[in-house]
């Protein structure tokens, strides 16, 4: 099958550090190539792939410090649409930007929506574009937009060797992610304090979250049981995740997927997650961690964490969250969209 | 002629207060209607026009506090393109957003570029879209993009009765606009100090410019010769402009047009402008004000301001910068694009 993958340009594919969407697009692209598909990747020029790369801008927009990021994405659209008849299917990862064009084009296409969808700006748009097939990354992500044409949910997947399984449990809890109001590192601190455990915090602080960090979080970190590490690279992340007795995921927003949960499973580390967004779909309560509603239940869960088998966590990862599963799920959707019975046809 | 005007959605058309592009689109639309054209305006739902309004969102995005402004503009594109065959020409004021769509559509269209064009992100885009006819709002605005398909320059115009001609000169200098690094209110203060004149500053401070204002400007305002007024409405603006002996326009960036200069002329008030961007095209040096290169020359110009005839400023406005002139210029371009000899044809 001739497949085009259309990535955002903010980060390279794969990204140098942070960049969830670009990382998943990279895993998908490389696994599709391994499975014998003919894949073309539209992405920033510093991207790397075993498929064919069509570079849109020399460097990722963040590294290149672009002032007008939309201009590059309009150029991306143009490059995709002038080549679109070369592909059996075009798979977009750039939200709704291409919808008016795709509606008027004669090729098959599908879009994975990677972001949160609960913004009031979106329903009017998706009411107008019910003919655009879209894929969610969790079932819960769909809730605000029932009118969209959902053609599947595909969970993210990682290469099995990208994280190392650790058989024995470490002696600390871990918070790994961004410091931002919706990620609730303050809850993680409270859970660790009341559980009398060590807590390692490996966290990136985005510019927009600096004020929140300084005002609400910084003063909480002066505790002997906390180790604040800052942003980490992949090797450090692998070590930190593998060495933790549990990953704390005390979120307070409709997380569309939550890659770090499956990274933890890949290391054999259970996850204690708050029941928001995708969490109930990713964690099997009592088997690969615990789904909790408040801090009391989270502290209880920490006390029971030895009941969770780390081998079970790893096998959950291997059975549901590898790049192979993800690629197969997407191929199934591509075939469905390409079948003569599919109603998704653009004029 | 059946004409569509496609406005940005950030402000209503006309805007409640600030919003240069939306204000010009309103002047153009209403004057085209007065000249007998059949005009449809695509804009936010709180817009007002004597033509046909197609509302895209209930309120302007700034008033509605939209989080994802692009979603509404994609919906705007869809509404325009599904009706496009009803118009002889579609006139866009939303930059390059529609280029990939317009290239693939069968109707005539043209775009007025309202913003600064000297960003490094733009040349790759305009190299790819040399078939898209574009209109500049000053000749100088074109400089960074010689590759674009320029089909004309049309200066902005105002209704003749929107500002009141004041025959006698007032006793103060005026700075009117945003407080931002490129507008250089600090220069205006220095010019007034060295000229020993009163200075009124009527200025909006955008959120992004708060830091600049607090750090670089605020402490300069504690002078007896300065009156700081803040943001003003149209009536106050008319009074302030008419009562000034001169408008100071000491900019330090490639201003694409500079509406406030022609607003001053409409009141009979001369302009002392720094030689950047559009300034040498708008001011007739020694006739409707002075074009200067530094503060010494600006102070000299203040000393000579009595040599400028206020009636000459008003007649310059009436001869070059009314909404009627603007609309006629645009109609001429529409006809040119619609003529059989025009090469601008989309597939």
């Amino acid at each position: 099958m001739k497949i085009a993958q259309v990535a955002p340009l903010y980060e390279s594919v794969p990204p140098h550090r942070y960049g969830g969407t670009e990382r998943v697009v990279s895993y998908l692209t490389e696994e599709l190539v391994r499975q014998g598909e003919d894949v073309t990747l539209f992405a920033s020029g510093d991207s790397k792939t075993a498929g064919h790369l069509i570079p849109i801008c020399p460097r990722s927009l963040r590294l290149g410090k672009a002032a007008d990021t939309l201009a590059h994405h309009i150029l991306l659209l143009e490059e995709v649409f002038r080549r679109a008849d070369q592909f059996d299917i075009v798979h977009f990862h750039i939200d709704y930007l291409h919808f008016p064009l795709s509606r008027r084009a004669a090729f098959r296409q599908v879009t994975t929506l990677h972001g949160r969808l609960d913004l009031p700006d979106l329903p009017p748009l998706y009411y107008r574009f019910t003919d655009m097939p879209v894929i969610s990354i969790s079932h819960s992500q769909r809730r605000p937009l029932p009118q969209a044409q959902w053609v599947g949910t595909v969970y993210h997947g990682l290469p099995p060797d990208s994280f190392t399984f650790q058989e024995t449990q470490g002696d600390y809890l871990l918070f790994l992610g961004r410091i931002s109001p919706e990620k609730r590192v303050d809850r993680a601190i409270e859970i660790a304090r009341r559980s009398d455990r060590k807590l390692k915090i490996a966290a990136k602080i985005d510019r927009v979250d600096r004020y929140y960090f300084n005002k609400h979080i910084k003063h909480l970190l002066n505790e002997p049981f906390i180790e604040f590490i800052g942003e980490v690279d992949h090797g450090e992340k692998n070590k930190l995740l593998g060495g933790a007795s549990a990953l704390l995921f005390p979120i307070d927003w409709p997380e569309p997927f939550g890659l770090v949960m499956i990274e933890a499973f890949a290391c054999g580390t259970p996850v204690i997650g708050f029941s928001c967004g995708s969490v109930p779909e990713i964690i099997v309560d009592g088997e690969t961690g615990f789904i909790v509603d408040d801090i009391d239940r989270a502290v209880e869960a920490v006390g029971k964490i030895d009941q969770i088998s780390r081998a079970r966590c790893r096998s959950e990862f291997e059975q549901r969250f590898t790049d192979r599963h993800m690629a197969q799920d997407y191929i199934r959707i591509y075939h469905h969209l390409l079948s003569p019975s599919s109603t998704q046809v653009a004029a």
Side-chain angles (χ1 to χ4, degrees), chain A:
Chain A
M1 204 168 3
K2 290 192 171 175
I3 304 167
Q5 295 293 336
V6 182
L9 305 171
Y10 302 105
E11 305 287 341
S12 59
V13 176
H16 291 285
R17 282 206 162 185
Y18 188 79
T21 301
E22 289 87 346
R23 194 144 65 90
V24 170
V25 173
S26 176
Y27 291 150
L28 173 60
T29 301
E30 302 316 296
E31 179 59 22
L32 288 171
V33 171
R34 269 192 298 273
Q35 294 190 18
E37 307 293 349
D38 179 352
V39 190
T40 299
L41 172 67
F42 293 81
S44 71
D46 48 355
S47 298
K48 288 193 173 35
T49 177
H52 316 286
L53 176 67
I54 307 282
I56 305 300
C57 46
R59 303 181 69 194
S60 73
L61 301 185
R62 192 175 60 87
L63 287 180
K65 295 188 199 303
D68 184 346
T69 58
L70 185 59
H72 300 275
H73 285 92
I74 296 297
L75 202 52
L76 168 65
L77 284 183
E78 179 60 27
E79 296 304 317
V80 171
F81 277 76
R82 73 192 198 89
R83 289 179 177 85
D85 59 2
Q86 303 169 13
F87 307 110
D88 297 309
I89 192 150
V90 178
H91 186 171
F92 289 100
H93 301 267
I94 53 169
D95 291 323
Y96 49 71
L97 188 64
H98 63 96
F99 281 2
L101 268 162
S102 286
R103 170 173 277 181
R104 292 168 175 78
F107 62 89
R108 303 285 176 144
Q109 50 80 30
V110 67
T111 303
T112 294
L113 297 173
H114 288 263
R116 70 187 294 175
L117 301 179
D118 60 332
L119 300 175
D121 306 292
L122 297 180
L125 186 78
Y126 284 88
Y127 271 115
R128 177 57 82 192
F129 288 103
T130 49
D131 54 328
M132 293 287 110
V134 285
I135 297 171
S136 46
I137 57 175
S138 65
H139 297 304
S140 80
Q141 185 201 21
R142 296 183 180 188
R143 251 172 245 154
L145 298 177
Q147 68 274 36
Q149 192 202 130
W150 298 108
V151 295
T153 289
V154 179
Y155 293 132
H156 289 338
L158 313 172
D161 55 358
S162 54
F163 289 87
T164 319
F165 174 58
Q166 298 284 352
E167 221 173 318
T168 51
Q169 171 185 309
D171 67 344
Y172 59 89
L173 302 170
L174 179 66
F175 176 95
L176 197 151
R178 282 180 292 120
I179 297 277
S180 69
E182 68 270 20
K183 296 284 189 177
R184 293 301 297 267
V185 70
D186 57 314
R187 282 184 178 162
I189 292 168
E190 187 59 20
I191 294 163
R193 179 201 318 283
R194 288 175 48 189
S195 308
D196 201 20
R197 300 280 181 124
K198 274 193 267 183
L199 175 67
K200 297 195 183 190
I201 301 176
K204 182 170 175 258
I205 308 169
D206 286 338
R207 207 169 228 235
V208 292
D209 294 316
R210 270 271 151 218
Y211 177 82
Y212 166 75
F213 175 75
N214 288 328
K215 182 155 172 112
H216 296 286
I217 302 302
K218 208 173 170 184
H219 68 278
L220 301 176
L221 301 178
N222 298 322
E223 299 276 4
F225 68 89
I226 298 178
E227 184 183 347
F228 185 80
I229 299 171
E231 200 176 345
V232 292
D233 66 19
H234 183 80
E236 296 164 312
K237 194 188 206 180
N238 184 27
K239 237 172 111 179
L240 277 167
L241 279 168
S245 56
L247 175 78
L248 299 182
F249 198 62
I251 53 161
D252 199 5
W253 75 304
E255 180 82 48
F257 183 78
L259 262 181
V260 69
M261 290 191 282
I262 67 170
E263 293 171 341
F265 294 157
C267 296
T269 301
V271 181
I272 299 172
F274 273 54
S275 187
C276 275
S278 63
V279 166
E281 296 171 54
I282 309 299
I283 301 175
V284 181
D285 191 42
E287 304 242 335
T288 60
F290 296 98
I291 303 168
V292 301
D293 285 316
D294 57 32
I295 290 185
D296 287 345
R297 296 293 93 69
V299 173
E300 268 175 40
V302 172
K304 296 188 293 190
I305 206 71
D306 293 348
Q307 298 172 13
I308 305 292
S309 152
R310 295 181 67 90
R312 171 76 179 79
C313 293
R314 174 72 193 189
S315 79
E316 181 78 7
F317 162 74
E318 286 173 0
Q319 282 163 38
R320 292 175 68 206
F321 300 118
T322 64
D323 50 356
R324 207 163 138 255
H325 286 98
M326 173 171 67
Q328 284 170 343
D329 285 352
Y330 277 122
I331 288 174
R332 209 169 298 128
I333 293 175
Y334 301 157
H335 280 301
H336 167 72
L337 292 170
L338 292 172
S339 70
S341 63
S342 168
T343 57
Q344 188 254 322
V345 194

